[in-house]
Amino acid sequence: METISRPVPGTGTPVAAGESFATLLGQWAHRLGDRIAVTHLDHHHGERAVSLTWRELDERVEAVAVRLSEVAGPGERAAVLAGQSTGYVVAFLGALRAGLVAVPLFAPGLPGHAGRLAAALADCGPRVVLTTDGDREPVTRFLAGGPVDAVVVDVDAVPPAGPRGWPEPDPDAPAYLQYTSGSTRSPAGVVLTHRNVLANARQACTAYGAESGTTSTVSWLPLFHDMGLILGIGAPMTGGLESVLMDPLAFLEQPARWLRALSASPGAISAAPNFAYAYCASRVTEAEKLHLELSRVVSLINGSEPVLPATIAKFHDAFAGCGLRPEVHRSSYGLAEATVLVSVTDAGKPPRQVTFDRARLAAGYAVPVVPGTTATTLVSCGRPAGQRVRIADPVNGRPAEPGEVGEIRVSGPNVGRGYWGRPDASAAAFGLPPLDPDTGEGWLATGDLGVVFDGELFVTGRLKDLVVVDGRNHYPQDIEQTVEEHPAVRPHSAAAFAIDGDDGEAAVVVLERAKDTEADIAAATAAVTAAVSAGHGLRLHDVVFLAPGEVPRTSSGKISRARCRVSYLDGALTARRLG
């Protein structure tokens, strides 16, 4: 059986009754008092930094919790609709302290995601909506006339309140609902208990070397995103870490801002998807590098999408002169259904890279490449962080043979209870056999494909994203890498997917034209088609060039193949085709 596990010191301690992120805040406020707990680097109002000490954060959370207790009862949902800010942290923790089920979402106005926000609100039925001064008006306007009848609470306007005794949280009661991206279906809320999230936050702190007083977290990831929430709030509350936040848009406008924040935060731990590292390498100027000091960074986590070897090399080459050490780069694997973190590469050395035979890998077996065969190099996602991982047949659950590709399945205290209000979907993914005889825990079916090679997990793709043409499997990321090698294609803009054709499945690629190029679209299309044919033995049914920024993305900025497919089939993308 291809199962790997790695006990992590400090992660096996049971979650005590009465523990939550909010109760731990109270303990750190008592110990750390006037030390800074959270800072928001506000780049849209004069480059200012807004900070709260542990005592100030605790007092504001207490005040919000008191206000919430007046309008909602324990177990009712409290949706957070706000931008990245210290107020978002206050709102989220205030909901937990009041015994409500927090629902971290986002303020109206996120381009292209109004439908997702409305669907998530309708799904969870919040009794109260938490927001901030800057977002109160658009939130009220968005809710007007909608299906949700909720009390709106502006956490910036809540008056101070004295401390109140709160019932001890049940470790197995829901702490919050983590909504998935909704790129392939209406958004589904993963039910995460206090036990789940505390376990995963402790697993993350241990895996990434977090230590109160010596390390801090730095993040531009959205706080409504699973990794953004644990990195920006969960791990700091668990480990007593200072948290430095910035807005995702501020990063996209000037990626050097993120690196400056890392330079200014000794012992920084941060995370970003693969595209962000390539984006920094290509956009940060030599003049900006003169002001960077990255030698004190502890961990840079690369996750949430395939980690590309070329990106690791490009990022390190770009910033080695700023003191960046190769061993701080840590590739990881995770998903919202497991709170977030599942596995991570070892500290102190660069992630392992293995080059496999591409054809054998597509056929379901990880075989190191031999001369004369086409190759795919994968970056290890390491070993489980205090949990178990197994590779199984996605249909019958049969354990995979050594070196066989299958569905990644996960078991551990961090795995959620299911999807909010979706018993059938929950039963299909959570608690699958065989059950652990000691803990009673079953297995989570992730929907991701992977293989265990020499004791480490390598992620090969998504089950739903596989492109199957003429009976052969093709991983979309391999196709996308090939087409993005053409100079007319904007980096990190391609999406490959399959559609139903007259003779079975057919492959389509949607991509963006590179900025500042006058390339002949017809010639570029022919070159891309030829490259995919030569490199993959695959004939493309269609290649759609779009203007920069036109390829659909998820709320966290990643290319959404599923949304691309839907928009292609309904004609929305082909109507904007260039050339």
Side-chain angles (χ1 to χ4, degrees), residues 406-433:
E407 183 179 30
I408 301 170
R409 297 195 172 183
V410 180
S411 180
N414 52 297
V415 174
R417 284 174 42 179
Y419 298 112
W420 178 261
R422 301 185 184 213
D424 292 343
S426 299
F430 292 83
L432 302 183

mmCIF file of all heavy atoms in Angstrom, residues 406-433:
data_model
loop_
_atom_site.group_PDB
_atom_site.id
_atom_site.type_symbol
_atom_site.label_atom_id
_atom_site.label_comp_id
_atom_site.label_asym_id
_atom_site.label_seq_id
_atom_site.Cartn_x
_atom_site.Cartn_y
_atom_site.Cartn_z
ATOM 1 N N GLY A 406 -2.367 7.555 -8.696
ATOM 2 C CA GLY A 406 -3.756 7.374 -8.274
ATOM 3 C C GLY A 406 -4.242 8.622 -7.576
ATOM 4 O O GLY A 406 -3.590 9.668 -7.584
ATOM 5 N N GLU A 407 -5.419 8.501 -6.964
ATOM 6 C CA GLU A 407 -5.978 9.639 -6.245
ATOM 7 C C GLU A 407 -5.291 9.792 -4.893
ATOM 8 O O GLU A 407 -5.073 8.826 -4.168
ATOM 9 C CB GLU A 407 -7.479 9.471 -6.033
ATOM 10 C CG GLU A 407 -8.114 10.682 -5.351
ATOM 11 C CD GLU A 407 -9.616 10.533 -5.159
ATOM 12 O OE1 GLU A 407 -10.079 9.371 -5.006
ATOM 13 O OE2 GLU A 407 -10.321 11.545 -5.171
ATOM 14 N N ILE A 408 -4.959 11.012 -4.538
ATOM 15 C CA ILE A 408 -4.384 11.296 -3.225
ATOM 16 C C ILE A 408 -5.508 11.285 -2.200
ATOM 17 O O ILE A 408 -6.529 11.968 -2.367
ATOM 18 C CB ILE A 408 -3.687 12.666 -3.217
ATOM 19 C CG1 ILE A 408 -2.575 12.706 -4.269
ATOM 20 C CG2 ILE A 408 -3.119 12.984 -1.843
ATOM 21 C CD1 ILE A 408 -2.001 14.103 -4.494
ATOM 22 N N ARG A 409 -5.324 10.505 -1.140
ATOM 23 C CA ARG A 409 -6.287 10.478 -0.044
ATOM 24 C C ARG A 409 -5.574 10.810 1.258
ATOM 25 O O ARG A 409 -4.416 10.445 1.442
ATOM 26 C CB ARG A 409 -7.001 9.123 0.014
ATOM 27 C CG ARG A 409 -7.813 8.877 -1.262
ATOM 28 C CD ARG A 409 -8.812 7.763 -1.166
ATOM 29 N NE ARG A 409 -9.656 7.730 -2.366
ATOM 30 C CZ ARG A 409 -10.666 6.902 -2.546
ATOM 31 N NH1 ARG A 409 -10.969 6.010 -1.596
ATOM 32 N NH2 ARG A 409 -11.399 6.939 -3.653
ATOM 33 N N VAL A 410 -6.281 11.502 2.136
ATOM 34 C CA VAL A 410 -5.669 12.083 3.332
ATOM 35 C C VAL A 410 -6.476 11.697 4.561
ATOM 36 O O VAL A 410 -7.710 11.649 4.520
ATOM 37 C CB VAL A 410 -5.608 13.625 3.219
ATOM 38 C CG1 VAL A 410 -4.964 14.235 4.456
ATOM 39 C CG2 VAL A 410 -4.857 14.042 1.958
ATOM 40 N N SER A 411 -5.782 11.437 5.658
ATOM 41 C CA SER A 411 -6.439 11.153 6.928
ATOM 42 C C SER A 411 -5.675 11.846 8.048
ATOM 43 O O SER A 411 -4.447 11.759 8.108
ATOM 44 C CB SER A 411 -6.490 9.638 7.187
ATOM 45 O OG SER A 411 -7.123 9.349 8.414
ATOM 46 N N GLY A 412 -6.402 12.534 8.904
ATOM 47 C CA GLY A 412 -5.756 13.204 10.025
ATOM 48 C C GLY A 412 -6.731 14.095 10.763
ATOM 49 O O GLY A 412 -7.867 14.314 10.313
ATOM 50 N N PRO A 413 -6.316 14.652 11.901
ATOM 51 C CA PRO A 413 -7.222 15.474 12.708
ATOM 52 C C PRO A 413 -7.593 16.793 12.050
ATOM 53 O O PRO A 413 -8.513 17.474 12.513
ATOM 54 C CB PRO A 413 -6.418 15.715 13.997
ATOM 55 C CG PRO A 413 -4.981 15.601 13.566
ATOM 56 C CD PRO A 413 -4.978 14.531 12.510
ATOM 57 N N ASN A 414 -6.901 17.174 10.992
ATOM 58 C CA ASN A 414 -7.157 18.423 10.298
ATOM 59 C C ASN A 414 -8.205 18.304 9.193
ATOM 60 O O ASN A 414 -8.604 19.313 8.609
ATOM 61 C CB ASN A 414 -5.862 18.943 9.675
ATOM 62 C CG ASN A 414 -5.170 17.884 8.835
ATOM 63 O OD1 ASN A 414 -4.748 16.858 9.345
ATOM 64 N ND2 ASN A 414 -5.056 18.116 7.532
ATOM 65 N N VAL A 415 -8.639 17.092 8.870
ATOM 66 C CA VAL A 415 -9.613 16.898 7.792
ATOM 67 C C VAL A 415 -11.004 17.305 8.276
ATOM 68 O O VAL A 415 -11.456 16.893 9.351
ATOM 69 C CB VAL A 415 -9.621 15.434 7.311
ATOM 70 C CG1 VAL A 415 -10.740 15.206 6.303
ATOM 71 C CG2 VAL A 415 -8.272 15.091 6.690
ATOM 72 N N GLY A 416 -11.692 18.135 7.485
ATOM 73 C CA GLY A 416 -12.986 18.664 7.878
ATOM 74 C C GLY A 416 -14.083 17.613 7.979
ATOM 75 O O GLY A 416 -13.899 16.433 7.659
ATOM 76 N N ARG A 417 -15.266 18.073 8.390
ATOM 77 C CA ARG A 417 -16.389 17.160 8.619
ATOM 78 C C ARG A 417 -17.208 16.894 7.364
ATOM 79 O O ARG A 417 -17.961 15.921 7.303
ATOM 80 C CB ARG A 417 -17.305 17.755 9.696
ATOM 81 C CG ARG A 417 -16.737 17.611 11.093
ATOM 82 C CD ARG A 417 -17.564 18.324 12.142
ATOM 83 N NE ARG A 417 -19.006 18.165 11.969
ATOM 84 C CZ ARG A 417 -19.901 18.700 12.795
ATOM 85 N NH1 ARG A 417 -19.495 19.414 13.846
ATOM 86 N NH2 ARG A 417 -21.181 18.545 12.591
ATOM 87 N N GLY A 418 -17.116 17.764 6.385
ATOM 88 C CA GLY A 418 -17.925 17.600 5.178
ATOM 89 C C GLY A 418 -18.265 18.956 4.610
ATOM 90 O O GLY A 418 -17.687 19.977 4.983
ATOM 91 N N TYR A 419 -19.233 18.966 3.680
ATOM 92 C CA TYR A 419 -19.680 20.203 3.052
ATOM 93 C C TYR A 419 -20.997 20.658 3.689
ATOM 94 O O TYR A 419 -21.900 19.848 3.924
ATOM 95 C CB TYR A 419 -19.883 20.006 1.550
ATOM 96 C CG TYR A 419 -18.624 19.622 0.812
ATOM 97 C CD1 TYR A 419 -18.490 18.357 0.261
ATOM 98 C CD2 TYR A 419 -17.580 20.536 0.661
ATOM 99 C CE1 TYR A 419 -17.338 17.995 -0.433
ATOM 100 C CE2 TYR A 419 -16.429 20.185 -0.020
ATOM 101 C CZ TYR A 419 -16.309 18.914 -0.562
ATOM 102 O OH TYR A 419 -15.167 18.563 -1.231
ATOM 103 N N TRP A 420 -21.090 21.930 3.953
ATOM 104 C CA TRP A 420 -22.259 22.496 4.608
ATOM 105 C C TRP A 420 -23.523 22.205 3.780
ATOM 106 O O TRP A 420 -23.622 22.583 2.614
ATOM 107 C CB TRP A 420 -22.071 24.001 4.774
ATOM 108 C CG TRP A 420 -23.236 24.700 5.406
ATOM 109 C CD1 TRP A 420 -24.224 25.392 4.764
ATOM 110 C CD2 TRP A 420 -23.530 24.777 6.796
ATOM 111 N NE1 TRP A 420 -25.122 25.899 5.667
ATOM 112 C CE2 TRP A 420 -24.712 25.543 6.927
ATOM 113 C CE3 TRP A 420 -22.921 24.284 7.949
ATOM 114 C CZ2 TRP A 420 -25.293 25.822 8.161
ATOM 115 C CZ3 TRP A 420 -23.491 24.556 9.183
ATOM 116 C CH2 TRP A 420 -24.653 25.308 9.287
ATOM 117 N N GLY A 421 -24.477 21.493 4.412
ATOM 118 C CA GLY A 421 -25.766 21.245 3.776
ATOM 119 C C GLY A 421 -25.727 20.334 2.568
ATOM 120 O O GLY A 421 -26.682 20.318 1.782
ATOM 121 N N ARG A 422 -24.647 19.546 2.406
ATOM 122 C CA ARG A 422 -24.524 18.675 1.227
ATOM 123 C C ARG A 422 -24.151 17.262 1.668
ATOM 124 O O ARG A 422 -23.012 16.841 1.531
ATOM 125 C CB ARG A 422 -23.477 19.226 0.270
ATOM 126 C CG ARG A 422 -23.799 20.627 -0.212
ATOM 127 C CD ARG A 422 -22.822 21.109 -1.246
ATOM 128 N NE ARG A 422 -23.111 22.478 -1.601
ATOM 129 C CZ ARG A 422 -22.925 23.005 -2.812
ATOM 130 N NH1 ARG A 422 -22.435 22.248 -3.774
ATOM 131 N NH2 ARG A 422 -23.204 24.264 -3.052
ATOM 132 N N PRO A 423 -25.108 16.533 2.217
ATOM 133 C CA PRO A 423 -24.793 15.205 2.752
ATOM 134 C C PRO A 423 -24.285 14.223 1.701
ATOM 135 O O PRO A 423 -23.393 13.423 1.985
ATOM 136 C CB PRO A 423 -26.127 14.739 3.354
ATOM 137 C CG PRO A 423 -27.177 15.584 2.695
ATOM 138 C CD PRO A 423 -26.527 16.898 2.423
ATOM 139 N N ASP A 424 -24.822 14.268 0.494
ATOM 140 C CA ASP A 424 -24.388 13.316 -0.532
ATOM 141 C C ASP A 424 -22.951 13.599 -0.965
ATOM 142 O O ASP A 424 -22.132 12.668 -1.085
ATOM 143 C CB ASP A 424 -25.325 13.375 -1.744
ATOM 144 C CG ASP A 424 -26.722 12.841 -1.436
ATOM 145 O OD1 ASP A 424 -26.871 12.137 -0.420
ATOM 146 O OD2 ASP A 424 -27.655 13.149 -2.201
ATOM 147 N N ALA A 425 -22.641 14.868 -1.216
ATOM 148 C CA ALA A 425 -21.277 15.223 -1.604
ATOM 149 C C ALA A 425 -20.299 14.928 -0.475
ATOM 150 O O ALA A 425 -19.167 14.489 -0.715
ATOM 151 C CB ALA A 425 -21.208 16.698 -1.985
ATOM 152 N N SER A 426 -20.732 15.128 0.758
ATOM 153 C CA SER A 426 -19.868 14.845 1.910
ATOM 154 C C SER A 426 -19.567 13.357 2.010
ATOM 155 O O SER A 426 -18.421 12.952 2.234
ATOM 156 C CB SER A 426 -20.536 15.339 3.199
ATOM 157 O OG SER A 426 -20.745 16.740 3.166
ATOM 158 N N ALA A 427 -20.601 12.533 1.849
ATOM 159 C CA ALA A 427 -20.416 11.087 1.966
ATOM 160 C C ALA A 427 -19.508 10.547 0.872
ATOM 161 O O ALA A 427 -18.803 9.552 1.069
ATOM 162 C CB ALA A 427 -21.773 10.384 1.915
ATOM 163 N N ALA A 428 -19.501 11.217 -0.286
ATOM 164 C CA ALA A 428 -18.676 10.743 -1.399
ATOM 165 C C ALA A 428 -17.201 11.094 -1.231
ATOM 166 O O ALA A 428 -16.338 10.469 -1.858
ATOM 167 C CB ALA A 428 -19.192 11.340 -2.711
ATOM 168 N N ALA A 429 -16.893 12.078 -0.374
ATOM 169 C CA ALA A 429 -15.509 12.543 -0.272
ATOM 170 C C ALA A 429 -14.883 12.337 1.106
ATOM 171 O O ALA A 429 -13.667 12.155 1.209
ATOM 172 C CB ALA A 429 -15.434 14.033 -0.630
ATOM 173 N N PHE A 430 -15.684 12.345 2.171
ATOM 174 C CA PHE A 430 -15.143 12.310 3.529
ATOM 175 C C PHE A 430 -15.411 10.964 4.200
ATOM 176 O O PHE A 430 -16.424 10.317 3.960
ATOM 177 C CB PHE A 430 -15.773 13.426 4.372
ATOM 178 C CG PHE A 430 -15.382 14.819 3.971
ATOM 179 C CD1 PHE A 430 -16.029 15.462 2.927
ATOM 180 C CD2 PHE A 430 -14.372 15.496 4.636
ATOM 181 C CE1 PHE A 430 -15.689 16.757 2.549
ATOM 182 C CE2 PHE A 430 -14.018 16.785 4.273
ATOM 183 C CZ PHE A 430 -14.671 17.410 3.227
ATOM 184 N N GLY A 431 -14.481 10.578 5.084
ATOM 185 C CA GLY A 431 -14.685 9.397 5.913
ATOM 186 C C GLY A 431 -14.717 8.091 5.162
ATOM 187 O O GLY A 431 -15.380 7.135 5.591
ATOM 188 N N LEU A 432 -13.984 8.001 4.057
ATOM 189 C CA LEU A 432 -13.998 6.775 3.251
ATOM 190 C C LEU A 432 -13.179 5.672 3.927
ATOM 191 O O LEU A 432 -12.205 5.950 4.627
ATOM 192 C CB LEU A 432 -13.450 7.063 1.862
ATOM 193 C CG LEU A 432 -14.171 8.149 1.053
ATOM 194 C CD1 LEU A 432 -13.566 8.272 -0.337
ATOM 195 C CD2 LEU A 432 -15.672 7.862 0.964
ATOM 196 N N PRO A 433 -13.540 4.403 3.705
ATOM 197 C CA PRO A 433 -12.779 3.299 4.284
ATOM 198 C C PRO A 433 -11.430 3.149 3.593
ATOM 199 O O PRO A 433 -11.239 3.656 2.469
ATOM 200 C CB PRO A 433 -13.692 2.087 4.014
ATOM 201 C CG PRO A 433 -14.490 2.468 2.815
ATOM 202 C CD PRO A 433 -14.699 3.950 2.924
#
